[in-house]
Amino acid sequence: MGNFKDRVTIYEVAKASGVSLATVSRVINKQSNVTQATRDKVNATIARLGYKPSALAQALATNRTTNIGVIIPSANYVYIANLLYGLTEVARANGFLISLFVTSHNKEEANRMLEKVITTHVDGAIIFDDELDEHDIAKVSSYNVPTIVINNNITDEKVGCVYFGYEHLLKKIVAAVLTREKNKKEVTFLHMENGGRLLSRMEKAFYEVHELLNKKAYSIMTDDSYTRTYDYFKRYFKTHRNPGYFIAYRDSLAKAVINAAKDNDLKVPEDIEVLSIIGTKYAHIMSPTISSMHIDMIEVGKTAVNMLSALIKHNLTEKAHKFESVYEKRESTLD
């Protein structure tokens, strides 16, 4: 067993300093009603004993928890991990602690997490969950909890948002494929049940551009799983040998289509082209590299915390911030 040091308490600091508990608390919380001599004596004792103030005790004294609640759909996806990296980096710089609440694509569970955020008495909340709508967000706001919503354009007195621009770019990419002079291909959208609001928006844009160009739109029901998507397309490409362009939600699903095509002796991108909507670092380290639509989720996370910090301080002037996606052409598409 290691030689662990017992935690020094505030009572020991008060006794060693010869002052009251209330005086030590005032020094710790940097309150003004303490003489400089007393403040110096208490701080010297704190340094000598190695006392570490309790964050909870400081929160009770200042009526500020320095804690923000973050709701995310899952921590398993790379783009969510990038978001969390940005969140935590700026939260640390702003002196915030983060309480993480993870949901699945389930409305009831998302609302349970929302109730937990409210009852945790956080200073503010950041919500990135496709299942929560304007009514749900209003619930948090009604409890006077400053909130930043990610992936939904909602604003209110206590609500700001960070939202994404994907639709215009997707329409532009699909239209370019459908109107090529050479290598025209049918474009197929990989639909997922319970894929969330963002995927639904992309699918809507996909159908709109087909309708505008008077083209037939195709979609295939797939799964949020590399293995099951690969197995499906391994069978699919045995009978569907026509060239095609496929739009997948994430890099892993795009890679499943690519591998299934190659294992059926189809060439990428000559026969089969694949686009990933949510591009991550894996898009450019896979072979072949995957063309994708990219938004820097680390910057999204940083922006969300900075906006929340300003909202808590009542000085957030621009309550809506939009991130536009950028097309990154790689080896899985012709152009």
Side-chain angles (χ1 to χ4, degrees), residues 222-223 225-238 256-257 259-260 263-264:
T222 188
D223 221 328
S225 160
Y226 169 88
T227 301
R228 290 190 289 273
T229 300
Y230 169 81
D231 289 343
Y232 175 87
F233 277 96
K234 183 72 181 295
R235 296 189 301 270
Y236 177 88
F237 287 132
K238 289 184 184 302
V257 178
N259 286 349
D263 289 346
N264 276 282

Side-chain angles (χ1 to χ4, degrees), residues 84-112:
L84 285 175
Y85 179 85
L87 283 171
T88 54
E89 186 174 288
V90 178
R92 191 183 307 115
N94 280 274
F96 287 118
L97 301 175
I98 290 180
S99 295
L100 197 59
F101 302 83
V102 181
T103 73
S104 60
H105 290 302
N106 180 287
K107 178 80 168 179
E108 184 178 337
E109 182 182 356
N111 272 295
R112 282 201 301 270

Side-chain angles (χ1 to χ4, degrees), residues 19-36:
V19 298
S20 68
L21 289 174
T23 298
V24 175
S25 178
R26 285 195 288 270
V27 171
I28 291 170
N29 293 295
K30 296 179 171 49
Q31 295 176 7
S32 60
N33 52 342
V34 181
T35 66
Q36 189 59 47

Side-chain angles (χ1 to χ4, degrees), residues 73 103-111 127-134 136-137 151-152 193-197:
T103 73
S104 60
H105 290 302
N106 180 287
K107 178 80 168 179
E108 184 178 337
E109 182 182 356
N111 272 295
I127 299 175
F128 183 6
D129 192 291
D130 271 352
E131 298 300 323
L132 298 173
D133 55 26
E134 290 88 343
D136 302 314
I137 305 303
N151 189 33
N152 209 337
E193 285 292 335
N194 300 318
R197 184 183 298 110

